[in-house]
Amino acid sequence: MRSSKLRSAPRSIGPPPTKQGNTMGLLAWLRRHDAGLFPATDTHLAPDIDPHEDLFEGLYLGQAVQGHLAWKKRLKGIVLEGRQDDADISQVASDDLCALGQWLHGHARQRYGRLPQYARLRKIHAEFHLTAGKVLLYSSNGQRDEAEKMLRGAFSALSDQVQLELVRFYASVQPN
């Protein structure tokens, strides 16, 4: 698979509307999340990002979040529904091919590489990709039970954690 297949598809103009028809700022979303105001489901960590906050230091936050959610959905299709896919395990396991990974290994490293919040986000993001690669490896080796266990467990948790750490990182570098 070429690396261009790994990147998120371009978004339509503006983020998708929430159920209320508006968007929530990232900082408001983080406060609500940390206060425990979201239901405990595996989809609650998908903030609708205010267009004024979407572009952050060269990274489209919505695109980064949606790209990782798309991988979550794609892996569910492969493992749980038996969909055929030509995903290259080594490319999926690499944390520097997606939009967020390219940003983390480039601009963000130069500007924020000394911050512990950056290190935490980069570590969780790398673990997400390694775990996605392991899910695909188990699946391609016919180890469906192991793939499903990892998909529902470690991979799902890391997917949510990447989003949370991205928002926390964003909040930590914003001026008060």
Side-chain angles (χ1 to χ4, degrees), residues 26 29-30 33 42 44-47 49 59-72 95 98-101 103-104 117-132 153-171:
L26 286 174
W29 180 88
L30 180 61
H33 176 275
D42 69 345
H44 74 283
L45 290 175
I49 299 171
L59 174 70
Y60 285 96
L61 296 167
Q63 182 181 16
V65 168
Q66 292 305 318
H68 284 86
L69 289 175
W71 268 107
K72 190 174 187 178
D95 72 326
C98 68
L100 177 57
W103 183 77
L104 285 170
Q117 298 90 338
Y118 166 83
R120 191 168 44 249
L121 173 59
R122 186 162 170 225
K123 179 180 183 283
I124 293 295
H125 182 253
E127 288 177 20
F128 166 86
H129 278 277
L130 286 173
T131 304
F155 177 79
S156 184
L158 286 165
S159 177
D160 289 349
Q161 193 66 30
V162 165
Q163 294 171 66
L164 181 59
E165 290 302 327
L166 178 58
V167 175
R168 284 188 172 145
F169 174 77
Y170 172 86

Side-chain angles (χ1 to χ4, degrees), residues 20-123:
Q20 295 80 23
N22 57 20
T23 56
M24 178 185 309
L26 286 174
L27 299 179
W29 180 88
L30 180 61
R31 282 190 290 276
R32 290 191 61 176
H33 176 275
D34 287 348
L37 299 176
F38 291 111
T41 66
D42 69 345
T43 59
H44 74 283
L45 290 175
D48 289 319
I49 299 171
D50 184 312
H52 296 100
E53 293 183 325
D54 189 27
L55 182 59
F56 170 60
E57 297 281 339
L59 174 70
Y60 285 96
L61 296 167
Q63 182 181 16
V65 168
Q66 292 305 318
H68 284 86
L69 289 175
W71 268 107
K72 190 174 187 178
K73 182 177 180 180
R74 187 172 174 182
L75 288 177
K76 282 182 178 180
I78 293 167
V79 174
L80 302 178
E81 300 167 15
R83 287 190 195 146
Q84 296 299 311
D85 197 298
D86 64 348
D88 182 301
I89 294 168
S90 65
Q91 288 186 353
V92 171
S94 179
D95 72 326
D96 62 351
L97 297 177
C98 68
L100 177 57
Q102 290 175 355
W103 183 77
L104 285 170
H105 286 271
H107 178 78
R109 178 188 284 176
Q110 293 172 355
R111 177 122 191 222
Y112 302 110
R114 70 191 186 291
L115 299 177
Q117 298 90 338
Y118 166 83
R120 191 168 44 249
L121 173 59
R122 186 162 170 225
K123 179 180 183 283

